[in-house]
Amino acid sequence: MYKIAFDVMGADNGSEVAVQSASEFLKSRKELYLVLVGDKKEIEESLRKFPIDENRFEIFETSEFIDMNGSIMDIRRKKDSSMVRALEMLKDKKVDAMITGGNSAAFIAGSHFILGELNGITRPGFMPTLPTAVDNKLTLLLDVGANLEADIEDIIGYAKMANIYSKNVLKVENPSVAQLNIGEEKSKGTLLQKEIYKELEADKNINFYGNLEARDILAGKVDIIVTDGYTGNMCLKAFEGASKILMTEIKAQLYKTIFTKLKALTLKKSFDNVSKKFDYKNHSGAILLGVDGIAFKAHGSSDVKSFKATLRMTCEAIENDVLNKIKKEIK
C-alpha cells in the first residue's frame, strides 16, 4: 500500500469537492491510502456526505491554507498551511506523493524550498498530459508555467525527464521529442531555439523529431513537446479554452431547433466520443518534474472529475517508480 498526501483546501471549489473525489477514487484503488490535509472540521463535514473506509485514510489537521489569491511568500508566512504540511510529509518520506489544487506560484516555491531540485536540474517544469487526434495516443507538454524562461540545459533536462516518464508511465517504447517553434524548418526561431535544436539533434539518447508548430500539438505527431513555461502555458490555456468553447457551440447548434435535435440523436454517440476524448478534465493535473518528490498540481478550478484524473496520474507515477528512474538517468 502506498500513501498520497492530498491538500484538499486550496482549490476554487472548496474542500468538499476534493473529499468527494477522494471518496469515489478510493473505491477503484485498493492499494491506496490517503492523508487528507486541511481543516479537520471541514473535512469531517464533507466525509459525512461522502464517507471513506476508516482504514483507507487519515486527517492531518492544519490551521491555515493557501488559496488561489496567495503568493510565494505564503510558503514562509503560513507554515501550518495544508500545502506546506503536504510538501513536508513528502520531504520526510511519510508519503509517496502529494497533490494540491492551490496557488501555483506558492506550490512551485514550496517545492523548491522544501523538496529541492534533483541533481542536474535548476528549473523544474510542469508537465500535463494532452489528448491527441490519434486514438489511444497522449502527448506530454512541458514546461507549461513553472518557469517563464528556460535555457538550453533546462530544455534538455525536460526532454530527458519526459522521455523516462513516457516510457514508464505511458509505455511508449521510443518516445519522439519535438521542440515547439514557429516553423518546422531547422532555421526557424531565435538563436536559443536554434541552439536547442542542435543539442537535441546531437543527443543519441533522445529520439528527436525536430521542430513542431503549435497547430500540431494535438495532432499526435510526437510523444513529447518541450518549450519554455511562458509559451507552454499559453498553448495549454488556448487548447483548454478552445476545447470548451467548441464543444459548447456544437451543443448549442445541435439543440437549436426541433429538427437539429432529431438529427443530433443519431450522432449523439459520435459527439460524446469526441467530447470525452478532448475533455481536458480527463487528463487534468500536471506533475512538477525535476523536484525531489512526486508532486502533482491539480487545476485550481478542479471538479470531481479533474481531481480523480490527478489522483490517477499520481498513482501511475508512484506505481512506475518514475522519480527513482529519473534520478538515475539525470545522475
Side-chain angles (χ1 to χ4, degrees), residues 108-147:
I108 295 165
S111 297
H112 167 71
F113 289 115
I114 297 170
L115 301 177
E117 286 74 32
L118 300 177
N119 289 332
I121 301 296
T122 55
R123 291 189 182 101
F126 273 136
M127 187 184 73
T129 303
L130 305 180
T132 73
V134 178
D135 288 343
N136 302 315
K137 181 169 184 176
L138 300 172
T139 291
L140 303 174
L141 173 65
L142 73 163
D143 176 24
V144 297
N147 296 281

Side-chain angles (χ1 to χ4, degrees), residues 121-190:
I121 301 296
T122 55
R123 291 189 182 101
F126 273 136
M127 187 184 73
T129 303
L130 305 180
T132 73
V134 178
D135 288 343
N136 302 315
K137 181 169 184 176
L138 300 172
T139 291
L140 303 174
L141 173 65
L142 73 163
D143 176 24
V144 297
N147 296 281
L148 298 184
E149 298 179 350
D151 58 25
I152 295 174
E153 288 72 22
D154 296 327
I155 299 296
I156 300 300
Y158 295 158
K160 289 181 177 179
M161 292 188 291
N163 196 48
I164 297 166
Y165 189 98
S166 182
K167 286 180 179 179
N168 290 279
V169 177
L170 302 183
K171 308 303 179 184
V172 180
E173 186 175 343
N174 187 26
S176 52
V177 180
Q179 175 185 213
L180 191 61
N181 209 333
I182 59 173
E184 292 187 351
E185 299 86 350
K186 189 174 182 178
S187 60
K188 291 289 186 176
T190 66

Side-chain angles (χ1 to χ4, degrees), residues 190-201:
T190 66
L191 180 61
L192 177 61
Q193 274 83 53
K194 293 174 185 177
E195 290 299 317
I196 290 170
Y197 190 107
K198 291 178 183 178
E199 291 287 336
L200 289 171
E201 187 177 40

Side-chain angles (χ1 to χ4, degrees), residues 62-87:
T62 66
S63 60
E64 301 172 298
F65 69 93
I66 301 172
D67 62 21
M68 299 305 293
N69 295 316
S71 73
I72 58 174
M73 296 307 296
D74 285 335
I75 291 297
R76 299 295 194 190
R77 295 178 186 137
K78 298 183 175 181
K79 294 186 180 296
D80 194 40
S81 66
S82 50
M83 183 186 293
V84 169
R85 295 305 188 197
L87 284 166

Side-chain angles (χ1 to χ4, degrees), residues 23-57:
S23 175
E24 293 182 10
F25 186 77
L26 278 169
K27 295 174 184 176
S28 65
R29 293 276 179 164
K30 303 298 183 183
E31 71 283 8
L32 176 60
Y33 184 93
L34 288 178
V35 181
L36 304 178
V37 189
D39 185 286
K40 186 176 181 180
K41 184 178 179 181
E42 278 194 34
I43 294 172
E44 288 177 339
E45 287 178 359
S46 299
L47 286 170
R48 281 192 280 274
K49 294 182 181 179
F50 307 103
I52 301 175
D53 183 339
E54 62 181 13
N55 297 314
R56 304 290 306 283
F57 83 100

